[in-house]
Amino acid sequence: MQTWREMREFPLAIRLLLVNQLGVNTGFYLLIPYLATHMGDDLGMSAALVGIVLGVRNLSQQGLFLIGGSAADRLGARRVIIAGCALRTVGFALFALGDGLPVLLAASVLSGLAGALFNPAVRAYLAQEAGGRKAEAFALFNVFATTGALIGPLLGSVLLLVGFRASAVTAAGIFALLTIAQAAVLPSREVPPATSSVLGDWREVLGNRAFLAFALAMVGMFTMENQLYLLLPDGARRATGWAGAAGIVFLTGTVANLTLQLRLTRALKERGSRGRWVAVGLALMGLAFVPPMVVAGAGRPDGTGAAVVALLPVLAGALLLYLGVMIAQPFVMELIPDFGRAELTGTYFGVFYVVSGVAAAAGNTVVGWAMDTGAARGAQWLPWACCVAFGLVSAAGVGWLRRLGSLPARTPAPEATSTAATAKATSA
């Protein structure tokens, strides 16, 4: 109930963007997790071709975030959001219509480009519309995104009983509805004329050493967050011997997110700097991998009761990881636009997500190597230890930047500033 009350306090544009993110994640996760199986099992494609199609989609998205961010600054976030959702509608529809490699590659490029467009644009629009309540807005954004990431795979598994094309058509339909809703409801904002070239904007952002240091320090957050879909589900399955145990991990996180995210963000916002809570959240994310690490390699349990007990350390780790994300992420999103000019908000988000995409790919490679190496050498604790290190190193990096004074201070909201000025004039 608190989520809905908080949501109603925001303008209609922000409310639509929150529902939009629920729909985006629902549509994405009901299709993409099952794409590899469809291509391999249904279409008989080799593992190499499957990897190419998935790699093209990921490269199209992660490599073009900077383009999407600059487009949001130059053309207006509203236009870019609508264009991104429309492109993903077409891309997902192609997955339903085509079985050949050229069609699948085109669908991958379009769906990846769509994400590159609307991801930074949505965050830029949200940051600009939320004013002094950015942290609360991004906290709600996280709630809706997490809920969509849970609903999507569940809906996708049901639709697969009909067939993969049913999933693709449904996903395309969701994005089509979102496109129409955004075009009808999102207010258009005047875009100030650019004072420099696109390359000049990029040079300005990339020349911001404090921002780049912060983006690099956040490498651990995205690597660890990705383990919600790789290491933790694998750990749950290995601990219990039951493939469905991964679903319990997602359910635990979603329930925690729905009940605690807003309370945490509101409480922490008034009790310390943003950098402090980002560092605390990152440290907690790293420590989340300790409980599963302690019991890694214990062997499959004998009986249902033993399986439940074996699952508890993994669930404890998942809960701590979700809590760390809930603590850190809203303040990370609030900090990013404060590193530079408001006119470059989209570009800052674009650069940040390019860095995070590369980081997540590299981090997942390290974790995957550690999983294989640990399994071969009887050191099942190794991937968990890598994630602990990622978290603690990232937390130390943010803490160091905070001590140097490199993180921007929170800017008072315009209404707060005017209220304070009025009070000062009255007392005078």
Side-chain angles (χ1 to χ4, degrees):
M1 291 300 294
Q2 184 186 9
T3 299
W4 297 113
R5 286 196 300 270
E6 184 79 19
M7 181 181 174
R8 287 197 298 269
E9 294 177 5
F10 281 99
L12 179 60
I14 290 182
R15 281 181 271 161
L16 176 62
L17 292 179
L18 297 176
V19 175
N20 175 79
Q21 194 60 27
L22 174 68
V24 164
N25 276 16
T26 299
F28 181 86
Y29 285 107
L30 76 82
L31 176 70
I32 294 300
Y34 306 106
L35 181 58
T37 302
H38 167 66
M39 290 187 292
D41 295 350
D42 300 340
L43 304 182
M45 297 174 66
S46 67
L49 288 179
V50 171
I52 289 172
V53 173
L54 296 179
V56 165
R57 194 211 68 79
N58 190 61
L59 182 62
S60 299
Q61 178 162 319
Q62 304 293 350
L64 297 176
F65 273 134
L66 187 53
I67 302 296
S70 291
D73 291 334
R74 300 251 164 181
L75 304 175
R78 177 183 179 274
R79 294 177 181 174
V80 178
I81 292 169
I82 294 170
C85 277
L87 277 177
R88 185 155 281 181
T89 301
V90 176
F92 280 7
L94 284 178
F95 279 127
L97 298 174
D99 293 339
L101 182 60
V103 176
L104 292 173
L105 286 174
S108 293
V109 170
L110 288 175
S111 61
L113 175 59
L117 289 175
F118 67 66
N119 278 348
V122 165
R123 287 156 178 81
Y125 198 111
L126 198 67
Q128 291 161 354
E129 292 289 314
R133 301 185 65 201
K134 291 185 184 71
E136 291 90 338
F138 281 112
L140 277 171
F141 192 81
N142 192 26
V143 170
F144 280 82
T146 302
T147 304
L150 175 68
I151 294 173
L154 295 176
L155 180 58
S157 63
V158 173
L159 289 169
L160 281 178
L161 298 176
V162 179
F164 178 82
R165 282 182 173 79
S167 296
V169 169
T170 302
I174 290 173
F175 279 96
L177 290 174
L178 292 176
T179 304
I180 294 169
Q182 290 155 4
V185 176
L186 275 185
S188 181
R189 299 287 185 245
E190 183 179 350
V191 182
T195 58
S196 62
S197 66
V198 172
L199 290 178
D201 292 346
W202 292 357
R203 281 195 296 268
E204 179 178 338
V205 175
L206 293 173
N208 189 329
R209 294 183 180 180
F211 169 69
L212 287 183
F214 177 71
L216 290 173
M218 297 307 300
V219 162
M221 185 177 84
F222 293 96
T223 299
M224 291 183 291
E225 200 172 0
N226 268 269
Q227 303 321 307
L228 291 169
Y229 309 102
L230 176 63
L231 187 56
L232 281 164
D234 182 73
R237 288 189 290 265
R238 290 179 183 273
T240 62
W242 175 44
I248 300 178
V249 171
F250 295 127
L251 181 61
T252 299
T254 303
V255 171
N257 193 278
L258 285 170
T259 55
L260 297 176
Q261 176 68 85
L262 280 170
R263 291 185 176 91
L264 273 174
T265 302
R266 277 185 159 178
L268 298 179
K269 183 178 179 179
E270 306 301 327
R271 289 173 171 80
S273 69
R274 297 175 292 186
R276 172 188 177 185
W277 295 121
V278 171
V280 168
L282 288 169
L284 186 59
M285 289 174 73
L287 295 175
F289 294 91
V290 173
M293 180 177 68
V294 172
V295 297
R300 291 195 174 184
D302 184 16
T304 304
V308 172
V309 172
L311 183 61
L312 290 178
V314 180
L315 290 181
L319 181 59
L320 289 174
L321 182 57
Y322 273 104
L323 284 172
V325 173
M326 284 188 273
I327 290 171
Q329 197 172 68
F331 297 114
V332 172
M333 295 295 104
E334 186 186 25
L335 271 167
I336 291 169
D338 287 350
F339 276 98
R341 294 186 287 127
E343 295 82 1
L344 294 183
T345 296
T347 305
Y348 272 95
F349 274 111
V351 170
F352 186 80
Y353 276 98
V354 168
V355 173
S356 71
V358 174
N364 278 342
T365 301
V366 171
V367 173
W369 168 85
M371 291 172 70
D372 292 339
T373 303
R377 299 183 180 179
Q380 284 82 1
W381 53 267
L382 184 59
W384 306 97
C386 287
C387 291
V388 173
F390 278 128
L392 297 182
V393 169
S394 284
V398 173
W400 177 67
L401 290 173
R402 178 172 169 255
R403 285 193 296 274
L404 290 177
S406 299
L407 301 180
R410 181 179 280 116
T411 304
E415 60 269 21
T417 304
S418 61
T419 303
T422 302
K424 183 175 180 180
T426 302
S427 62

